[in-house]
Structure formats: structure tokens, C-alpha cells
Amino acid sequence: MSTPDSTPDSTPDPAGPTAGSSRATVLRRFGPLLLAVLAFLVYRAVTYDDGTRDITIGRCVTASEAGDVRTVDCADASSLGTVVFVQRNAFTDEFSVRRLCAQHGSSRAFTSALAQGGTGTVVCVVPGP
């Protein structure tokens, strides 16, 4: 027991410094990991590319076996046609794509969607150069 003139007891208060120090220990241990995960997620959000960044009106395109669309020289034998319209952040369901490309005189379209029936990039193409 302590008296006003003597030194205090050395037993810590259970709700005192130990509760805060254990939280600080956990934060010190997992803080760098959480910061790294957050940095990775921010990096992916900023650098996301759906593969259609270089496709512009007037360029010729081709599609790979995986379904990716890329620009090629119009004289290339693999050219599928000339791009007449590109819309980013558009609805990529079949009805919306057909309607959008029909408004621009195209019956052929390529899409790049983040999710089935979600939004993405629509590329409308007419045959031949």
C-alpha cells in the first residue's frame, strides 16, 4: 500500500497503459503490411488499362485469339476494319453496343468490359480501309 510520502505501488492498472500499448504493438507489427496493401490497391486503380487506350478513330484494328483488340496498319492482312467510333465508360451489354454502333454506321463492335454487362470501352468498326 502506498502512503502520500512513499513511492507508489508498481502494479499497473489493468485498464491503463497495457491496453494502449498492445494496440500500438499490433499497429507496429501489421502497419507496414496494411500500408503496402493500400499502396498496391491505389497503384492498380490509377494504372488500370483495359487495352484500348491506343485505339482512336481512323485507325485499323485486329483482334487476337484471346479477344484483345489492338491497332494495326490498315494494309495488314489481319486488319478487321477502320474504327469509326470509340466510347469509354459505356454500357457493354449487347443491346447498348448495337444501338451505339448503329448510330455511327457500324455493324461490328468490340468491347472491353470490367464485368459481364457492365461498363467499359466500345469500339465500333467498319470493314476495309
Side-chain angles (χ1 to χ4, degrees):
M1 178 171 228
S2 98
T3 61
D5 296 345
S6 66
T7 59
D9 289 339
S10 62
T11 52
D13 182 16
T18 56
S21 65
S22 67
R23 203 173 313 161
T25 303
V26 169
L27 188 58
R28 256 186 264 125
R29 180 179 294 166
F30 294 110
L33 176 64
L34 293 174
L35 189 59
V37 169
L38 179 64
F40 174 75
L41 293 175
V42 168
Y43 171 77
R44 290 292 296 160
V46 170
T47 61
Y48 176 76
D49 180 21
D50 65 0
T52 61
R53 180 183 59 224
D54 296 332
I55 297 176
T56 58
I57 296 172
R59 303 285 308 263
C60 291
V61 293
T62 190
S64 69
E65 292 176 9
D68 296 330
V69 179
R70 62 184 174 85
T71 59
V72 293
D73 186 61
C74 290
D76 191 322
S78 67
S79 174
L80 298 174
T82 306
V83 176
V84 293
F85 185 72
V86 178
Q87 176 71 48
R88 288 169 175 57
N89 297 320
F91 291 112
T92 57
D93 61 278
E94 187 175 349
F95 175 76
S96 298
V97 170
R98 286 181 187 262
R99 182 177 47 83
L100 185 63
C101 287
Q103 292 172 349
H104 294 89
S106 172
S107 61
R108 184 160 201 184
F110 298 98
T111 61
S112 173
L114 300 177
Q116 183 76 7
T119 59
T121 302
V122 175
V123 179
C124 302
V125 177
V126 293

